Amino acid sequence: MTLFSIFSDWNAVGVCRLCNEVFGLNKSHTAVILIDPETNMPPEWNPETGQLDRPLTADMLDRVKRYPVCPDCVAKVNAERTKGGLPLWEG
């Protein structure tokens, strides 16, 4: 195994949307969070209930932006989800 083969899957550098740390990412395998630029929140966020319970519309999905999330933050989120009995987040 060469040094090139170890890093050949990492094809970009990104900034984690949750912790703001820079990390190497593979664009096809990195978890992402969808953010509506109009609200700066996930598109299904409902400010009235404080929950992710708003139905997604085509308009929301058209304007949404995808932001990378580092593996450490995915692990932290999933640890909390496990405590709460929720399914794991895969991004």
Side-chain angles (χ1 to χ4, degrees):
M1 180 178 292
T2 67
L3 184 60
F4 177 75
S5 66
I6 294 171
F7 292 105
S8 63
D9 287 341
W10 302 98
N11 56 19
V13 173
V15 177
C16 177
R17 177 68 180 204
L18 301 180
C19 70
N20 294 318
E21 292 292 324
V22 175
F23 71 105
L25 58 88
N26 179 318
K27 292 179 183 177
S28 63
H29 292 77
T30 298
V32 295
I33 187 169
L34 303 178
I35 299 292
D36 182 340
E38 290 184 10
T39 63
N40 204 32
M41 297 296 287
E44 62 269 32
W45 177 258
N46 185 340
E48 295 173 8
T49 64
Q51 302 289 320
L52 295 172
D53 61 3
R54 195 166 69 166
L56 292 173
T57 64
D59 181 48
M60 286 178 190
L61 293 175
D62 285 344
R63 69 176 179 254
V64 76
K65 298 204 184 260
R66 299 167 59 92
Y67 292 95
V69 179
C70 72
D72 289 341
C73 284
V74 171
K76 289 175 189 174
V77 166
N78 281 333
E80 290 300 314
R81 291 181 66 83
T82 299
K83 287 179 192 174
L86 297 171
L88 296 180
W89 178 63
E90 297 178 14

